[in-house]
Amino acid sequence: MDPLILSLDQGTTSTRAVAFALSPDGALTPVATRQLELTQHYPEPGWVEHDSAEIRDAALQTCREVVDAAGGVTRFAAMGITNQRETAVIWDAATGAPLHRAIVWQDRRTAETTRNLAADGHEPAVQGATGLILDPYFSASKFAWLLDAVPDGRARAARGEVRLGTVDAWLIDRLSGGRSHVTDATNAARTSLMDLRTLAWREDLAGLFDVPLAALPEIRPCAGPLAETAREIFGRPLPITGAAGDQQAALVGHGALAPGDAKITYGTGAFLVANVGTTPVASGARLLATLGYVVDSARAWALEGSIFSAGSAIQWLRDGLGVINESRQSEALARGLQDNGGVYLVPGFTGLGAPWWAPDARGAVIGLTRDSGPAHFVRAALESLAYQTRDLLDALARDGAPPLRVLKVDGGVTANAWAMQFVADICGVTVERPAYQEMTALGAARLAAFGAGLIDTLAARETAAPACWRPQMDPAERERLLGGWRAAVRAAMIATA
């Protein structure tokens, strides 16, 4: 029988485990999946937290269920992990007990800290070293907040009694029984503490954010021996040989391995990652220079644009406003309108990401009339995905990237064919969705297989034809709609200034 790879995909709203069968030609085929929703905690406006223990328990449960469903641990050759990035976790080094809820990447509580650092002139140095701007999105200011929130936290961390890390480090720590405190380079690249060129923690940045280096995990490549699960987890140790942040894992899953390849994942947020090759590219258009992946001696860098609210805007329509009962109803409602009626939604629920970087922005609906109804809210939310994507592609073009011929997409929102056609129309580019859409889990599995020496290339082995949407909109109509969007963003920014 073909060997199996266990892939753990820990995301913002759920934890998923997938067993992939690895065929002799290197293709990965899913054979078992389990998923659990993750509770969201909002203790104050702009604050978003997760229970680290719930993340750990869900990871163990889904992985064990998948291993059992796929025939037992003896069938598995390796394990890969992918995770929500930038989310900050703090735990006791001796007991493994969480010391505070995790602070989620969407959280805005440290906006004043990063704003003050920028006002003091530190952003050019931080961006030059890490590729990142100063924003509460990234982990360093969250780590500092957690150390202040835990009694004697910073002193304990300096003594090695407290561990800090992103979710990958937390999961590897717990899966290994506390024996391995490691992180992969793509997650480390999102902390504001790692040098993007040397792939090492920087003492000056740790000092700037007041985060003791002793608390941080060891940085490792995305593929290779990272850790081994404790025997009691599955009944025998299983090597963990792949790890990457979710967006980088999706890049690998799509096989976007050549300079100029790009993908966007439409999940809770939406994240455009464009492969720029073997040399970091500094952005002048407020994108992020980041790492694509590191395997053996091969490194790929990327430019990234982050949209903070994508699928979460649809969730707001369902759970907040109650205008739909299920997310899938949004497509029929949007199709039922001739046009958007001049209604635009700027989904600044947790601030605005690239290229605006406005952490204090709030959501706004612009252009309402007496004729506006629930369907207009739904259509405006779906349209906002396309407008924000176009903003990112325009920024990518300003940074000198060649125009995209194909935009590879994945994530739950891509099941909405109307929304994907609108993305193609507004962006003027062919949108391509793979037949199997769990690109983050697939990418983690491919990295694990490579790290275990089971395959000799990360190149994708796509067996089924992708779904495609090609631009059909008249260019004048596209510009009219984009003009309305840009006016709506300006109005929203003024309203929240």
Side-chain angles (χ1 to χ4, degrees):
M1 290 186 291
D2 293 338
L4 299 181
I5 307 296
L6 176 61
S7 181
L8 174 59
D9 179 3
Q10 201 298 301
T12 308
T13 58
S14 71
T15 302
R16 178 190 296 110
V18 185
F20 288 93
L22 178 64
S23 66
D25 66 355
L28 287 159
T29 304
V31 297
T33 303
R34 295 292 186 274
Q35 184 171 352
L36 290 172
E37 288 193 11
L38 179 60
T39 307
Q40 311 295 305
H41 300 274
Y42 306 99
E44 294 186 27
W47 292 29
V48 190
E49 296 179 349
H50 287 160
D51 185 333
S52 306
E54 182 184 358
I55 290 175
R56 174 200 63 207
D57 294 345
L60 293 175
Q61 180 179 337
T62 54
C63 285
R64 285 169 172 156
E65 289 179 358
V66 159
V67 167
D68 290 344
V73 71
T74 57
R75 292 203 58 201
F76 287 81
M79 179 178 184
I81 295 174
T82 183
N83 59 284
Q84 53 169 310
R85 305 170 306 167
E86 297 97 16
T87 295
V89 188
I90 187 168
W91 66 98
D92 188 286
T95 67
L99 297 175
H100 194 282
R101 282 180 183 163
I103 303 180
V104 179
W105 57 271
Q106 299 162 306
D107 191 280
R108 306 278 93 190
R109 76 187 64 186
T110 59
E112 184 177 0
T113 298
T114 54
R115 187 164 47 243
N116 289 342
L117 288 171
D120 290 342
H122 293 292
E123 185 165 85
V126 172
Q127 188 170 19
T130 68
L132 310 178
I133 67 166
L134 281 168
D135 190 85
Y137 176 29
F138 306 108
S139 310
S141 61
K142 296 178 171 68
F143 289 152
W145 191 97
L146 287 169
L147 290 170
D148 288 333
V150 172
D152 203 28
R154 192 164 275 100
R156 291 185 62 201
R159 295 194 297 266
E161 298 172 6
V162 167
R163 289 180 174 178
L164 293 167
T166 44
V167 170
D168 64 315
W170 165 240
L171 290 173
I172 291 171
D173 181 282
R174 293 298 82 213
L175 287 166
S176 68
R179 288 187 290 272
S180 297
H181 187 36
V182 301
T183 188
D184 93 278
T186 67
N187 275 290
R190 312 296 295 187
T191 62
S192 298
L193 299 172
M194 188 193 82
D195 189 293
L196 193 57
R197 290 164 179 78
T198 66
L199 309 188
W201 300 125
R202 285 186 56 133
E203 188 171 352
D204 57 339
L205 295 177
L208 179 67
F209 288 97
D210 200 10
V211 175
L213 287 174
L216 298 175
E218 179 186 348
I219 300 173
R220 299 279 189 85
C222 305
L226 294 167
E228 195 174 67
T229 63
R231 181 176 298 275
E232 61 269 20
I233 302 293
F234 301 119
R236 77 165 177 86
L238 184 64
I240 302 172
T241 56
D246 51 8
Q247 304 313 315
Q248 281 79 4
L251 191 76
V252 173
H254 277 288
L257 308 178
D261 288 345
K263 70 90 204 172
I264 188 165
T265 297
Y266 292 107
T268 304
F271 303 90
L272 173 74
V273 182
N275 189 323
V276 298
T278 58
T279 303
V281 173
S283 174
R286 303 290 280 174
L287 296 177
L288 306 173
T290 194
L291 195 62
Y293 55 84
V294 180
V295 294
D296 293 337
S297 59
R299 300 179 183 182
W301 277 268
L303 284 173
E304 178 174 331
S306 304
I307 296 169
F308 292 160
S309 293
S312 59
I314 310 304
Q315 292 170 340
W316 171 69
L317 294 171
R318 183 192 66 196
D319 303 334
L321 291 189
V323 298
I324 54 175
N325 297 319
E326 296 179 300
S327 296
R328 62 185 178 182
Q329 292 176 310
S330 62
E331 180 168 356
L333 284 169
R335 286 187 186 278
L337 293 175
Q338 267 196 319
D339 55 38
N340 67 7
V343 178
Y344 291 86
L345 168 66
V346 182
F349 303 113
T350 53
L352 291 174
W356 315 104
W357 295 111
D360 296 324
R362 292 293 179 262
V365 180
I366 306 295
L368 293 175
T369 69
R370 285 291 299 271
D371 294 327
S372 303
H376 290 92
F377 278 79
V378 171
R379 180 158 174 157
L382 292 174
E383 286 191 358
S384 74
L385 306 179
Y387 299 135
Q388 291 177 100
T389 302
R390 174 61 186 259
D391 288 341
L392 296 182
L393 294 182
D394 286 348
L396 198 62
R398 290 197 298 274
D399 278 335
L404 295 181
R405 290 174 298 171
V406 175
L407 179 62
K408 299 174 184 289
V409 301
D410 65 280
V413 180
T414 65
N416 188 317
W418 184 91
M420 292 303 97
Q421 182 61 56
F422 197 76
V423 170
D425 287 339
I426 289 297
C427 295
V429 66
T430 295
V431 171
E432 184 178 281
R433 184 189 69 196
Y436 180 71
Q437 294 186 50
E438 302 301 339
M439 288 292 104
T440 51
L442 180 62
R446 189 169 289 135
L447 287 167
F450 187 89
L454 300 173
I455 56 175
D456 58 9
T457 177
L458 289 177
R461 296 284 195 271
E462 184 71 32
T463 56
C468 290
W469 293 269
R470 293 176 175 82
Q472 298 175 357
M473 184 177 287
D474 180 80
E477 175 65 3
R478 178 187 303 135
E479 289 307 311
R480 184 186 73 81
L481 289 169
L482 284 168
W485 163 253
R486 289 161 185 156
V489 171
R490 289 193 296 270
M493 298 283 273
I494 292 170
T496 56

